[in-house]
Amino acid sequence: LLVAGLILAVASGFMYNLHCDVDPTGSQSESAIRDLGIRYEKKVPADCHNGTMEWSYPFGHLFLYFPNPHASTEAICLQDWALGNTYNVTDITDGRNNRLTNITRDSWRFTAVSTSSELVLKFDAPNVMYYTSGFVYKVIRHK
């Protein structure tokens, strides 16, 4: 039974890249109050090219940082996982202010490509608090 549990745990780690799954809950920054809301900041590990962002009881604003240590030409792709269409999502890399619209489960939405050392997405939580919500993300490197 112990061996079966170990095999299941290892297999689920390969099926779900837990290292690359981001949960902003409890990551409130010291400058918590901003725009009458809470500001969360999370950095996706540099070796992650796909994963999820699951936010339990979303409130305020999440700034999600995607490191690009080699300044490659990259873009971030998002797909709705659960109630993701209730967020305002904005690509703010390099001072941009490009809103990503119509994020659904049926299609991916892409940021503009960038060679910045860090790509940044801002998620504004919905006005109604939900139990959980989130997105699937991919980092696309262009050649």
Side-chain angles (χ1 to χ4, degrees), residues 44-111:
V44 173
D47 61 333
C48 293
H49 300 287
N50 59 62
T52 61
M53 186 284 284
E54 179 181 359
W55 195 353
S56 299
Y57 303 105
F59 181 76
H61 314 282
L62 166 65
F63 292 77
L64 193 56
Y65 299 90
F66 293 85
N68 184 9
H70 304 294
S72 306
T73 303
E74 293 186 347
I76 307 300
C77 307
L78 291 179
Q79 185 178 45
D80 180 21
W81 170 74
L83 298 171
N85 60 349
T86 62
Y87 286 79
N88 286 329
V89 181
T90 308
D91 175 10
I92 60 171
T93 304
D94 294 332
R96 288 186 207 135
N97 191 24
N98 298 335
R99 186 155 174 230
L100 303 178
T101 59
N102 301 320
I103 300 173
T104 68
R105 290 184 182 196
D106 300 325
S107 62
W108 291 89
R109 293 294 178 248
F110 301 84
T111 65

Side-chain angles (χ1 to χ4, degrees), residues 5-40:
L6 182 60
I7 290 171
L8 181 60
V10 170
S12 67
F14 288 118
M15 288 173 41
Y16 303 103
N17 197 356
L18 299 179
H19 166 69
C20 296
D21 294 339
V22 178
D23 178 2
T25 307
S27 62
Q28 184 175 331
S29 68
E30 288 183 23
S31 59
I33 304 300
R34 182 173 184 179
D35 301 333
L36 301 177
I38 304 293
R39 177 186 174 120
Y40 297 92

